[in-house]
Amino acid sequence: MKRRFSDVPPLGLTAGTLGVSTLLLAPLALADPPGVPPSPVAAGSLVVLGVACTAVAFLAYFSLIGTSGPGRASLVTYVNPVVAAALGAAVLAEPVTQAMLAGSALVLAGSWLAARRPAPGPLPARTPQEHAPARRG
């Protein structure tokens, strides 16, 4: 992404990605339509989910790739299940198990370790020419 599309704005890249995906998936949706058309509320919910959630998430992700690089941006995919489990517990009162807590701790620790900036290494050795005083002409 960064090499080939570094000069493309994230909004354009997101629109292109979602547009191509829509064109590829539309024939499959048309081949097997639902038996009953969705209600206006359900159709509106799909539009909001597709535009507000998916498009904004793609836009944020591609912006993150541009600012933090693909390696650090990919960490979002690891943290996402932890956030989903926390929201499930907070909003839907889903149970939280010890395995979930242990897994979340491992995911967060691994993500933190992967996101750290490397410690600065030793300074390169100076050559003898760099130690010599500057000549005045």
Side-chain angles (χ1 to χ4, degrees), residues 43-58:
S45 297
L46 285 173
V47 170
V48 169
L49 181 64
V51 174
C53 297
T54 305
V56 170
F58 267 101

Side-chain angles (χ1 to χ4, degrees), residues 76-88 100-101 103-108 111:
V76 169
T77 59
Y78 296 116
V79 176
N80 191 32
V82 176
V83 173
L87 286 173
M100 290 170 66
L101 293 174
S104 295
L106 287 173
V107 167
L108 293 174
S111 297

Side-chain angles (χ1 to χ4, degrees), residues 72-131:
R72 294 181 104 198
S74 68
L75 296 175
V76 169
T77 59
Y78 296 116
V79 176
N80 191 32
V82 176
V83 173
L87 286 173
V91 176
L92 302 174
E94 293 180 352
V96 177
T97 65
Q98 288 181 345
M100 290 170 66
L101 293 174
S104 295
L106 287 173
V107 167
L108 293 174
S111 297
W112 177 76
L113 288 171
R116 288 186 316 160
R117 299 256 186 230
L123 295 174
R126 292 174 60 179
T127 63
Q129 290 175 340
E130 292 173 328
H131 285 290

